Amino acid sequence: MDANKPAAPIYVTQPDLPPLEDFLPYLQDIWNSKTLTNGGPYHQRLEQALGEYLGVKHLSLFANGTLALITALQSLRIHGEVITTPYSFVATAHSLLWNNIKPVFVDIDPHSFNLDPARIEAAITPQTTAIMPVHCYGAPCDVEEIDRIACNYGLRVIYDAAHAFGVRHQERSVLEYGDLSVLSFHATKAFNTFEGGAIISQDARMKRHIDHLKNFGFVDEVTVVAAGINGKMSEINAAFGLLQLQGVDAALAKRRAIFERYRQQLATVAGIASAPQGEAASNHSYYPILVQDAYPLSRDALYQYLRDHNVYARRYFHPLISDFPMYRHMPSAAHANLPVARRVSAQVLCLPIFPALEMEQVDAIAALIAKAGLDGS
Ligand SMILES: *Cc1c(COP(=O)(O)O)cnc(C)c1O
């Protein structure tokens, strides 16, 4: 029996849930009102409260982040080609295919793991209409440089900000950069509504348009202006979000403490590079490590070793999006075009991080990583 082996499985994340009793009054209220969806009172209250919490003016709630991404592209009539990152969750590129847009993959920066702005211009063609970067692990993209390029070439910028809840940059919300930003409130994210998402727009007119699109394109009872989708968030999800919002600062503080503990504990393990994107301006939703050549085990061997010890780390993001069958034939998916993303994808492992994780568990996981290294040498 290994002293560091946790008794029960530890997964990479665990949703942060308030006590069930706290949610019952909200449910009772929804039962009483019989308003279940279609922009009811909880939906309105959550839009208001989230806008205030995040420091953004125009926010449209969605049933999930993927529908929000698809609608964000539709709302700006993006077409042709869009420059994006291969190092993300697959929904980033899928949202382009759903709009009949061709993704053009550009390599990432080795430090931030975000789209490398120095490589964007070379990928622009007459068909390019937008850039869709991701604030990977909640670390802001080089928003100033991306803005400069977008301005010069007349491109739109839509940020997949699924990881960037509450992240600030230069004293403001990172969600205020670009034309639109998209959040996910999926159960695995820093703030969750079970399933959910949002589009942040920069003016009231755009928000209104997006609100039409998420309701089948209805403007009023008899006017439909586009082939909109059903992207509405239900009253139950919105009410849960309101309750979650009360505890979100405490949850983020716990994540930060865990993040710092890992960093401390892993600093001396040779061949393990911690959270290389730096801790500045992230919400500590993820703890990525890179398993480098100096470590005695391969990334996959460490992944298996941890699993054998009840620790379920995840290889986010492996495989790259550009390796999936619907993308890999594209010229921009070629290995030679994406050397940094390939290397990071081969080395990365995201360690468990969630508010309920105990410091002793963090220490045990760090000790397993240090010990696996010794065992293998
Ligand atoms: C979670 C996630 C999404 C999808 O969000 P859902 O709410 O699950 O649809 C999109 N992009 C990234 C980068 C994500 O991590």
Side-chain angles (χ1 to χ4, degrees), residues 64-66 69 88-89 91-92 134 160 162-163 184-186 189 196 286:
N64 61 61
T66 303
L69 281 171
S88 180
F89 182 61
T92 309
V134 178
D160 179 337
H163 300 177
S184 165
F185 308 140
H186 183 257
K189 304 298 205 276
Y286 297 86

Side-chain angles (χ1 to χ4, degrees), residues 146-166:
I146 289 169
D147 185 56
R148 191 189 65 79
I149 296 167
C151 241
N152 281 350
Y153 290 85
L155 304 176
R156 300 290 199 160
V157 182
I158 296 162
Y159 282 105
D160 179 337
H163 300 177
F165 184 88

Side-chain angles (χ1 to χ4, degrees), residues 10 40 44 89 122 153 182 215 217 226 256 266 297 302 314 342 352-353 355:
I10 301 178
Q44 291 170 31
F89 182 61
Y153 290 85
V182 175
N215 188 30
R256 172 193 281 273
L266 292 171
L297 300 183
L302 175 59
R314 292 293 299 268
R342 297 208 76 77
I353 185 166

